[in-house]
Amino acid sequence: MQSTKLLSGVATTVNTSFVRCLSSNTAAIVKVHRSIYARRYPTVMVLPNGATINLSYHEPRRIIKLPLDLSQLSEAERKARIEKRKPKQKIRIDDDVEDTFNANKYLKYMKK
């Protein structure tokens, strides 16, 4: 297919026929180039209260988790949620062990 355009008084001919060599190996090498998938995929949606709903989704996803709205929680629950998000403090325990082991006491049991 050829088309002719007039650009500022100059006639140009553009070849607009695109040939794409498709084979069975094309999909195995690269991802499938599509924005809308042809089928619907079973998906689990998790609500903020922990309830789950099985639905069909247009993208292949296993699970969808909805975010929690902190403005609907009570003050105590909100503080507890915010504390869970903070990084945990590492506890260091320094033990001083008194070593009273004397190896010379057991030299008599060694075979000569």
Side-chain angles (χ1 to χ4, degrees), residues 17-18 20 34 50 52 55-57 60 69 73 87 91 93 97:
S17 63
F18 296 106
R20 190 169 173 194
R34 61 174 77 142
T52 59
L55 52 93
S56 60
Y57 197 63
D69 188 12
L73 295 177
I91 299 173
I93 300 173
V97 179

Side-chain angles (χ1 to χ4, degrees), residues 55-75:
L55 52 93
S56 60
Y57 197 63
H58 62 88
E59 291 182 6
R61 292 189 177 193
R62 186 66 83 190
I63 191 167
I64 298 172
K65 186 175 179 182
L66 296 179
L68 180 67
D69 188 12
L70 291 177
S71 65
Q72 295 178 353
L73 295 177
S74 67
E75 190 64 32

Side-chain angles (χ1 to χ4, degrees), residues 2-111:
Q2 290 189 353
S3 65
T4 305
K5 293 184 177 181
L6 235 111
L7 296 174
S8 66
V10 178
T12 59
T13 304
V14 179
N15 188 0
T16 58
S17 63
F18 296 106
V19 178
R20 190 169 173 194
C21 299
L22 298 175
S23 67
S24 62
N25 296 329
T26 304
I29 296 171
V30 297
K31 70 177 189 127
V32 179
H33 298 284
R34 61 174 77 142
S35 59
I36 300 173
Y37 291 88
R39 61 181 292 244
R40 315 259 311 162
Y41 297 90
T43 306
V44 176
M45 183 171 65
V46 180
L47 300 177
N49 64 359
T52 59
I53 300 171
N54 294 325
L55 52 93
S56 60
Y57 197 63
H58 62 88
E59 291 182 6
R61 292 189 177 193
R62 186 66 83 190
I63 191 167
I64 298 172
K65 186 175 179 182
L66 296 179
L68 180 67
D69 188 12
L70 291 177
S71 65
Q72 295 178 353
L73 295 177
S74 67
E75 190 64 32
E77 291 174 341
R78 184 179 303 121
K79 285 183 181 178
R81 289 279 182 168
I82 292 173
E83 285 297 320
K84 283 184 181 179
R85 291 181 184 180
K86 292 182 180 176
K88 294 183 180 178
Q89 304 257 338
K90 291 185 179 179
I91 299 173
R92 291 185 56 189
I93 300 173
D94 294 334
D95 289 335
D96 293 333
V97 179
E98 294 182 21
D99 188 15
T100 59
F101 179 74
N102 188 4
N104 292 331
K105 283 174 51 176
Y106 297 100
L107 285 177
K108 61 183 176 186
Y109 299 115
M110 300 280 295
K111 291 185 179 179

